[in-house]
Amino acid sequence: MQQVQKGDVTVNEAVEKLRHLPYEDLGFARVDHHRHIRQGFPEVIYCPGKTAEQIAQIFSALAAKGNNVLATRAEEDVFESIIKTGRFPGARYEKSARAIVLEQKEVPSSKSILPIVTAGTADLPVAYEAKVTAEIMGQRTELICDVGVAGLHRLLSHIPKLQKANVIIVVAGMEGALASVVGGLVSCPVIAVPTSVGYGASFEGLSALLTMLNSCSSGVTVVNIDNGFSAAVTATLINRRIDTKTD
Amino acid sequence: MQQVQKGDVTVNEAVEKLRHLPYEDLGFARVDHHRHIRQGFPEVIYCPGKTAEQIAQIFSALAAKGNNVLATRAEEDVFESIIKTGRFPGARYEKSARAIVLEQKEVPSSKSILPIVTAGTADLPVAYEAKVTAEIMGQRTELICDVGVAGLHRLLSHIPKLQKANVIIVVAGMEGALASVVGGLVSCPVIAVPTSVGYGASFEGLSALLTMLNSCSSGVTVVNIDNGFSAAVTATLINRRIDTKTD
Amino acid sequence: MQQVQKGDVTVNEAVEKLRHLPYEDLGFARVDHHRHIRQGFPEVIYCPGKTAEQIAQIFSALAAKGNNVLATRAEEDVFESIIKTGRFPGARYEKSARAIVLEQKEVPSSKSILPIVTAGTADLPVAYEAKVTAEIMGQRTELICDVGVAGLHRLLSHIPKLQKANVIIVVAGMEGALASVVGGLVSCPVIAVPTSVGYGASFEGLSALLTMLNSCSSGVTVVNIDNGFSAAVTATLINRRIDTKTD
Amino acid sequence: MQQVQKGDVTVNEAVEKLRHLPYEDLGFARVDHHRHIRQGFPEVIYCPGKTAEQIAQIFSALAAKGNNVLATRAEEDVFESIIKTGRFPGARYEKSARAIVLEQKEVPSSKSILPIVTAGTADLPVAYEAKVTAEIMGQRTELICDVGVAGLHRLLSHIPKLQKANVIIVVAGMEGALASVVGGLVSCPVIAVPTSVGYGASFEGLSALLTMLNSCSSGVTVVNIDNGFSAAVTATLINRRIDTKTD
Amino acid sequence: MQQVQKGDVTVNEAVEKLRHLPYEDLGFARVDHHRHIRQGFPEVIYCPGKTAEQIAQIFSALAAKGNNVLATRAEEDVFESIIKTGRFPGARYEKSARAIVLEQKEVPSSKSILPIVTAGTADLPVAYEAKVTAEIMGQRTELICDVGVAGLHRLLSHIPKLQKANVIIVVAGMEGALASVVGGLVSCPVIAVPTSVGYGASFEGLSALLTMLNSCSSGVTVVNIDNGFSAAVTATLINRRIDTKTD
Amino acid sequence: MQQVQKGDVTVNEAVEKLRHLPYEDLGFARVDHHRHIRQGFPEVIYCPGKTAEQIAQIFSALAAKGNNVLATRAEEDVFESIIKTGRFPGARYEKSARAIVLEQKEVPSSKSILPIVTAGTADLPVAYEAKVTAEIMGQRTELICDVGVAGLHRLLSHIPKLQKANVIIVVAGMEGALASVVGGLVSCPVIAVPTSVGYGASFEGLSALLTMLNSCSSGVTVVNIDNGFSAAVTATLINRRIDTKTD
Amino acid sequence: MQQVQKGDVTVNEAVEKLRHLPYEDLGFARVDHHRHIRQGFPEVIYCPGKTAEQIAQIFSALAAKGNNVLATRAEEDVFESIIKTGRFPGARYEKSARAIVLEQKEVPSSKSILPIVTAGTADLPVAYEAKVTAEIMGQRTELICDVGVAGLHRLLSHIPKLQKANVIIVVAGMEGALASVVGGLVSCPVIAVPTSVGYGASFEGLSALLTMLNSCSSGVTVVNIDNGFSAAVTATLINRRIDTKTD
Amino acid sequence: MQQVQKGDVTVNEAVEKLRHLPYEDLGFARVDHHRHIRQGFPEVIYCPGKTAEQIAQIFSALAAKGNNVLATRAEEDVFESIIKTGRFPGARYEKSARAIVLEQKEVPSSKSILPIVTAGTADLPVAYEAKVTAEIMGQRTELICDVGVAGLHRLLSHIPKLQKANVIIVVAGMEGALASVVGGLVSCPVIAVPTSVGYGASFEGLSALLTMLNSCSSGVTVVNIDNGFSAAVTATLINRRIDTKTD
């Protein structure tokens, strides 16, 4: 009954490779060094729910390989405890993005520019998380801020720039309508990031999330509320494929 | 301790008037004839949950006073059972609005035009309910259909018309973003009607409802999902005040 | 296939006008000076999610044009940092409304009085936000406080006043039933503001919101939970149309 | 460590009594004859989810004891299959209440009248379920129909009647505000029954349910959506205690 | 068309009486003195959302009439600011119930005992709110604590006591199953108070609320989450009717 | 950096084994023959969302190996189309469980009895799904029906039987309290199956689900609403481990 | 105050272009011919909420331009009424995708293969919608069906194929975990389509939707429940950029 | 009508035993000493909602019997106040599990090892609660941390260990997919613990909870969000049955 498939050799190799991917066991965390290899990622730490001590340990393990390291949703005191170790003089704290960045390796610059568009000023922290994440992966970004649909004229000026992009990140809270409007103006994919900005019936970002999921503009896909990081990774994956494509 | 207030006489009169407002007890319904007087309404029957027989009885009681009558959310067979009575040859069924209309009294035409704007074709039944309701109250309406935000250029042509209105009804399902965009283009109130059009994460209109409630365009107020009737009544109340204002 | 439409000239003009509306780019915000022109608004800043520094910068940019400025949901320390600049001696903090107000231009008084009705004492902050917003736009307001439906006699005394209004704002948390009751007593539009007042199954204002959306009194429209600002803007838009109507 | 308590004898007796309460095992149901004894109930069958055959069997088992029997939420064909047995010529189908009633035993009439108040005509089926349930337990009821808060004058006429009751059932869908208004007018307990009447943001009765739970009128308690049966049982339990109280 | 009704005189009187019920306008609150008369209530202040100053003012206005006063959900500092006025030496703070109590008038003791049953120790604050509320209205109460359904034997000992009551209050969080179990053991009404005790899928009391609303034990009615006050008022209304019934 | 781990050989073997598990590709389905081997399962088909034709094809592929086959949530016409093939004369339709059963291989009987307890008669279809599933895996079951907490005495008689079990399945809709009560009476794991039985605030089983998740009786775990199948599989896995344990 | 921006000429051109995009007004719909030009789309009709007659009219208008046409969520009778016109002999009905397809223009084949992966057989209709949509835009697709995470070995065989793709569509209902697992195995973007497949706590696809939004695998973005169409459009937009990229 | 059942003697005994189970009434709590006997539990205190004083009193009452005591969800200051009594020198605070542990009695070690598997580092506190709970009941546990599905290779290494277990606890937040993947790899029951780890659309653990409830891997049952305690108790109950089984 064993099913025979063409390309079995390849399958064996793939599973073997998967089986032997390198990681490091810190007890409380399995530090995953291959991610860098597999996805062209920096090493990344998502901080919430980890103690400052755990973060510092993971940070050290990751940085020891000479890779770039990004710690997201990091409070300032986490950065300070990393700095105190004296081992990472190059690390910097991106306050508006709540991110710790350590760049140890050069990454080639993207050919195209990645626009990150926000509906309002209060959406900036999420947009900055996207910006810092995209930049540590080599993306050249442009932040277009506060062009929500209640004042359409502010957006119209940016149409040419948007139409030149290969992929666009749209960050919006409250009614979250900006993603649909941008999606209707361009012919590239739009990654929509709902934010928890708002009050009352925004229900901590649920309103913007639903709006974006129901977008009539096809080409719009959605990530979790406030997840600027994931939007930036996806946008980078797309841009890299385009940049590195060889026919 | 009894509180003494200025204008007590007026208060007494008002409560007395309230107390003596006319209605008719059909047993299963209290038919409210004063509504016509109080709000310049036609007599209205909301059909769901009532048997065809009950609707016919209420319809007869209302029509007997010579007023205009509107039955909303009416299935076609309800209309047929009313027609079968032979008493209301002038009654007509507005299929697309699911409404029965009996016009027995002339109502003065509105001075301004009430735009009813829809995001998509599937929003039409709700828009038609608004249209029929507004028209039986004398409003001159204009339906602007299928101008959702995914194709902004379809909306731009209508800006001049929209900017001339005193109040606008916007009907949209799915992401419901149209109300915000229209609200940002005009300086009059916008009444937003979320519709149950959509699927999946539209959650039967919840998505559009939340979008509209969170609108960043001030001047946007919201009614219940699919409630074209209430939007039309409110718009009419506003337009009438403007039309009849004497300085 | 290009569609030709009557009034194309007007359309061109409208879009051109839209395209050239003035705004100012502060980097983190696009300050929108035309709103004042378009909607007769003061310049408005919604504070949450913005740093005190950002707010002060936007405030300065807006005030520099000589317009009235309103900052909503402002904590007291934001006000203090604005005062410290020494540039706005006329600015005042409306504590109960959590608003900063700078009046630099006279606005004509409304002809009618705008009643702002609350169900309970705890609804006052939202009602005050509505009051301050309406007043900076020239509305004469009257606050009718603590007349919730559990003690109907408290409301009855105010019927004459309510019946004289062109539009009424009703602010209520918990069961939010007041909007329906008021809506049934008057023949003008009622703008219902659900508040987050309550506990347990009020679910942060959801209960009052749903009640108001389901109101059987037609003429009731709803804004976001706690959104006194938007209710006041809408009410003002309506009243202005009536006040300035020329036949 | 065994805890000794006063009144242990009584406790033993109570548990023993509980242990030996009579019921009958039909395999798919345990027919509970003691309920009649314990709560002065008729025997009751809740029909949904049971096959017509199962209902008929339970009905027979219950009726065999000579007690009154009530089957709620019964479709007409269930009644027909019971009638076909030829064993219950006295059974009748209350169509508007969707109930099958078999009265075999006289029950003493209540001293007071139980008002059952509905907001609209569409709430009638739930009100009738309450009415039929209360009457089979001997309550004298009065149905006050279609007095929702959007037309307060229709309710005012009934104040004297309401103020004479020992307990009142209020049945309302949509915004469900009627329970609060009635609760504020009387000094007896009000049992609020939210109904699934409505559409859109009524969310199948959720809106009315939340409104009633958040009622500011103390003395209002709530049962499940559309649960006229439970409201009637509770009201009867209260009235019986008052009727049979001996000092 | 004016409807003529029997008992019109009574109706006129009732509405007149309603119209003239006494209250006092403090500007931010309408203090409702008649509630004492109408429902045999103490004067009651629900504290959340009111400033300490507002509470103190309302408290003074209420106490000035010589009635008993109850302030619920009161933080200790509110009590202190009331005490500091020096005018209410008899006021006391019931810490476990978060209530301020001022007893100035004797209230007759209830004939029966009102059991207040809790599922767990963490439900005590809500149970104490019910206890203090019931006692200021003259009810003799007995607290039966920590008898949740996971240890049924703890409940069995109390069956005789429960079966003697005219009405029972059951307070439970988490799964909230206790109300159903108690309801099945007794033949009097059970007022179920869901509490916000729990975590995760208790969703701040939603779980217990739904459980209680779906109770299969008829005779169970439900109040808002954590609303010990309303449960106590309803229970008292029932007990008073029974106590004062004269045949 | 490659992590070296003890037992690498075993790991290699395990992954290899996983890699080579047999399945059969029908194009629209991958039929998984190893499940039988891995978990001692019969072959199982979950029918909803599959066409009758697809089910028949999968059924044939599974039965061809000589294993027992179970199709859950199967409509009667699916059974008929399987029967029509003439290839499975031994297949039978368990109507009350909505299951098709084909027993081709003997399975050893369990040593202990698995009680399946239901709160009401309407929960029977889910209980039968559990029963049929457990029995095809060799479990000896006993159905204890209609012993919901509103009539505790019906449950008490079954305590000895319940206390002898190694694991118990409790099936309940509406308030779902039965799982907690049973869990408190026994010292074995209880698998709770919420059902969609109920109406209104049962929200299609959500109420029972939340109740069970919040159970204060430890030892209670929960499966999806109406998922009698999964409860039976888990119970069987537990019982088999106990039955086959060799020291 | 008018803001001067670099590239104003381009902006003017862009807005002008937007303003003059061609569409056709059918009264009930604005048929948008430029979409074809702008996004390389076929003309698309989303059928639900439109009458068969409306769909046929839109279909005709779209097809008249010689473009490819795709009608999604189309019932078979809609197809029949289109066929009856006799004007589109080339139109075909893709039953499993519920789509009507008219190919009139050749579209160049994609260079890479687009894998469409489903968790179960019941997810097929959504996967087919994605497949048909992608193929009419020239994508070469491969359907990998029924490889849900409960049987990981079925997925492992497909790793090499998945790792060769530029973008992957993952379609899954119930727990929706497949998107995360695939996302962790590849270094290209994954577009996750939650489906409404499931029952009980799947809440019509909500469970899968939330799972996908919370994916720990970065590179995963999400579309609306059952929205195979939008996933295919986005995947095509990405693949086209890669295919047509010229350095 | 009294139903006669076989084994009545046993039933009598069982109910009698239930009736006389020992507990101790502290006024605010009923301390349940028999739980130790009945379920082989330590004495357990769930701390939230109890004052430090109440906890200390219950702790003392429980410890006085010489049993092991476990206090869950305990803040550090609670531990300090227990230590201050000087009576429990052997008590220790397990910070990562937020638990107080007092071991006074030896418990036999389990024969098998209980794997506790977490998806991420942030899930550790819940996993530690499970670990501490299981260990005080004699279970030998192994924590396998940070093997979430986004990096499948980290999990593959642990397959042999997992396949040797009798029952497995899987702890996961965010998308919660790990339980399904593990469930598909093993043939023993999996107890899934959703955690509140995550943000945005994780809705405090709701996402993980729904994922786990919808698991396609049969054998997976679910406990409340963050309820490591209950998972450990259930796992222990299962393991004990297997360990102590005598044929």
Side-chain angles (χ1 to χ4, degrees), chain A residues 25-30 53-55 57-58, chain H residues 120-121 124 145-146:
Chain A
D25 192 344
L26 303 183
F28 58 88
R30 277 167 219 277
E53 193 174 61
Q54 288 174 333
I55 296 168
Q57 264 185 274
I58 302 176
Chain H
T121 301
L124 276 177
C145 175
D146 201 13

Side-chain angles (χ1 to χ4, degrees), chain D residues 217-235:
Chain D
S217 301
S218 33
V220 175
T221 59
V222 187
V223 297
N224 196 0
I225 297 163
D226 291 336
N227 196 347
F229 170 75
S230 184
V233 171
T234 308

Side-chain angles (χ1 to χ4, degrees), chain E residues 110-149:
Chain E
S110 66
K111 292 179 186 159
S112 62
I113 285 172
L114 169 63
I116 301 171
V117 188
T118 83
T121 301
D123 298 318
L124 275 177
V126 176
Y128 279 126
E129 185 181 278
K131 192 170 172 356
V132 164
T133 302
E135 286 175 358
I136 201 176
M137 294 194 275
Q139 296 300 303
R140 293 154 60 215
T141 68
E142 171 161 3
L143 194 58
I144 301 173
C145 175
D146 201 13
V147 293
V149 300

Side-chain angles (χ1 to χ4, degrees), chain G residues 150 175 180 184 201-202 207 211 214 216, chain H residues 150 175 177 180 184 201-202 207 211 214 216:
Chain G
E175 84 257 72
S180 285
S202 87
S207 170
T211 305
N214 283 285
C216 299
Chain H
E175 85 257 71
S180 285
S202 88
S207 169
T211 304
N214 283 285
C216 297

